[in-house]
Amino acid sequence: MRVLVVDHTAHVSGAEHSMLTLLAGLPPEIHPELACPFGGDLERRARAAGIDPHRIPAGDGGLRLHPSGTPKAIAAIVSGAIQTARIARRERVDLIHANSVRAGLIGVGAAALTRLPLIVHVRDVLPRGRVADATLRIVAAGADRVVAISDYVARAFARAAPSDKLTTVFNPVELERFAVHTGDRDRIRATLGVGSDEVLMGVVGQISPWKGQRETVEVLARLSDTHPQVRLAVVGEVKFAESTTRYNNRAYAREIDELVAREHLDDRVLMLGEREDIPELMQACDIVLVPSWSEPFGRVVIEALAAGTAVIATTEGGPAEIITDGHDGVLLTPRDVESWAQTVAGLVDNPQRRSRLGAAGQARAADFGVGRHVGQVAELYRAAVAGRSA
């Protein structure tokens, strides 16, 4: 079976990490091709993994009306659909797999042109609106199967576009990469300038308001007097800065820098930017924070659990489907800075509880290995091709 996977962006975030993990794990009888925009990390990482991608236009436009952005986005979708159809015919693929809702629009057009079966992966919860709801209805109508990365995402999709084609498949994590290696932790912390007597919090993700990095700095500020041994590592960069993007992410990054300076936290906040040594950083942290306002899945939650690191995560979204509150992690309402600060202080003061959470978390992470995810997706591929043939 030959499968053409379509991605709408040249950037790499959680969706692309999961997609690349899937492609690397597919069984030999399934041969994947990748169509994506060029000039970014996705092309580079695909080639490094031995995948020679096909070029299509970027489809990063936001799903809301914009005087100049909307016409450009529509043009990119149409062009992307035509080029994807050409690639599918040339490579004689059996199925198209769109890696996002935006890629799904491209996939719907390409599937209509080629009459190939289409699977669309839904990885975000879109804010309700005429354009967003219409987009989801188009995807639901044009896809043979819609895959949500959590029940939270599935419920949000169904509210806008009720469908009997919808199924949930949790994202995969390469658990062995995050397993704790004896002796590594002290070395990693030393490279960051973090002392053995300090407690390091970490927040990992693209810089954007909904990811909650500002709130983690505010948590640290509240702990400044009572817990001066606590430091914060902020890992990530601005990924999306187009005019049609929902948030002004570059302005938000500047706000964080200004807050750090205003609270005199320059020596306690590590702005690490984009990193590729996430497994090592997870091991270096004592507590990982996932304070998103709304988290579709929470790949970083699994990564931290697999590393044996205590996790405090948002109640809104996928983390609540991963963590059992108080057993293998802690769940808190997002944007409640006071509650987060009190919980962090409690974990800082109780290293034994951090260790218990970390051990239970590692056991829970085992449910999210690559093999299970690949098996579920491969079965969807086979069912879609067989169903269309029938």
Side-chain angles (χ1 to χ4, degrees):
M1 181 191 304
R2 299 180 68 84
V3 176
L4 177 60
V5 178
V6 182
D7 205 291
H8 71 284
T9 181
H11 304 296
V12 173
S13 58
E16 287 68 39
H17 280 297
S18 294
M19 180 262 290
L20 290 171
T21 300
L22 169 67
L23 296 186
L26 286 172
E29 66 269 20
I30 299 178
H31 178 80
E33 300 282 346
L34 173 63
C36 66
F38 281 12
D41 279 348
L42 181 53
E43 179 195 3
R44 177 179 63 82
R45 294 195 186 194
R47 294 189 188 282
I51 300 169
D52 189 15
H54 307 274
R55 186 171 193 165
I56 60 172
D60 290 335
L63 297 178
R64 59 177 180 170
L65 294 176
H66 187 276
S68 61
T70 298
K72 291 179 181 177
I74 292 173
I77 290 167
V78 172
S79 176
I82 293 170
Q83 292 189 39
T84 299
R86 288 173 179 165
I87 295 166
R89 291 192 186 103
R90 184 174 68 242
E91 300 300 326
R92 299 181 181 276
V93 304
D94 301 292
L95 176 142
I96 298 171
H97 180 178
N99 194 46
S100 67
V101 169
R102 291 168 178 80
L105 292 175
I106 295 171
V108 167
L113 291 170
T114 59
R115 300 194 176 186
L116 289 171
L118 171 67
I119 290 176
V120 177
H121 231 112
V122 181
R123 301 183 180 275
D124 294 301
V125 173
L126 302 180
R128 296 298 298 274
R130 287 180 299 171
V131 175
D133 287 1
T135 297
L136 297 184
R137 287 193 291 269
I138 291 170
V139 166
D144 292 72
R145 201 73 182 170
V146 177
V147 180
I149 60 173
S150 65
D151 291 336
Y152 175 73
V153 170
R155 288 191 298 269
F157 185 96
R159 283 194 290 270
S163 174
D164 59 0
K165 304 173 183 176
L166 191 58
T167 190
T168 297
V169 177
F170 290 130
N171 282 336
V173 173
E174 297 168 286
L175 300 177
E176 63 280 0
R177 293 184 57 225
F178 292 87
V180 175
H181 302 289
T182 304
D184 280 2
R185 186 172 184 274
D186 291 340
R187 175 186 60 78
I188 297 162
R189 287 168 67 93
T191 64
L192 298 174
V194 177
S196 59
D197 58 341
E198 293 182 303
V199 175
L200 181 63
M201 302 187 301
V203 56
V204 181
Q206 59 171 296
I207 303 298
S208 186
W210 69 275
K211 282 293 190 179
Q213 288 94 352
R214 179 187 177 95
E215 285 89 331
T216 65
V217 177
E218 292 173 344
V219 166
L220 183 64
R222 297 203 181 196
L223 298 175
S224 291
D225 295 332
T226 59
H227 295 78
Q229 77 274 37
V230 179
R231 298 182 71 182
L232 172 67
V234 179
V235 183
E237 66 181 9
V238 172
K239 291 285 188 181
F240 304 101
E242 293 77 13
S243 60
T244 54
T245 301
R246 184 181 181 191
Y247 297 106
N248 187 336
N249 294 327
R250 294 202 186 282
Y252 179 68
R254 291 192 295 271
E255 287 177 16
I256 294 173
D257 291 337
E258 292 165 1
L259 177 62
V260 169
R262 188 164 62 250
E263 296 290 344
H264 307 291
L265 296 172
D266 305 76
D267 61 338
R268 296 179 59 187
V269 177
L270 305 173
M271 301 298 295
L272 300 182
E274 186 76 357
R275 300 280 293 236
E276 296 192 5
D277 57 344
I278 300 300
E280 290 76 15
L281 292 175
M282 289 295 187
Q283 294 169 31
C285 290
D286 299 284
I287 305 169
V288 168
L289 307 180
V290 187
S292 312
W293 300 350
S294 169
E295 184 60 57
F297 175 67
R299 179 187 179 90
V300 68
V301 173
I302 308 296
E303 294 172 346
L305 295 179
T309 304
V311 179
I312 306 175
T314 178
T315 55
E316 295 300 311
E321 299 172 38
I322 300 168
I323 287 174
T324 300
D325 186 30
H327 173 64
D328 44 28
V330 179
L331 296 171
L332 294 175
T333 304
R335 296 196 262 192
D336 184 353
V337 174
E338 182 60 34
S339 179
W340 283 72
Q342 290 177 5
T343 302
V344 168
L347 288 180
V348 170
D349 295 337
N350 192 341
Q352 292 79 17
R353 188 180 182 218
R354 294 203 307 268
S355 296
R356 289 196 298 271
L357 290 173
Q362 280 190 305
R364 174 57 173 147
D367 294 331
F368 299 88
V370 174
R372 176 179 295 187
H373 175 85
V374 169
Q376 290 174 307
V377 174
E379 186 55 37
L380 289 172
Y381 286 172
R382 297 184 188 103
V385 171
R388 185 62 68 93
S389 298

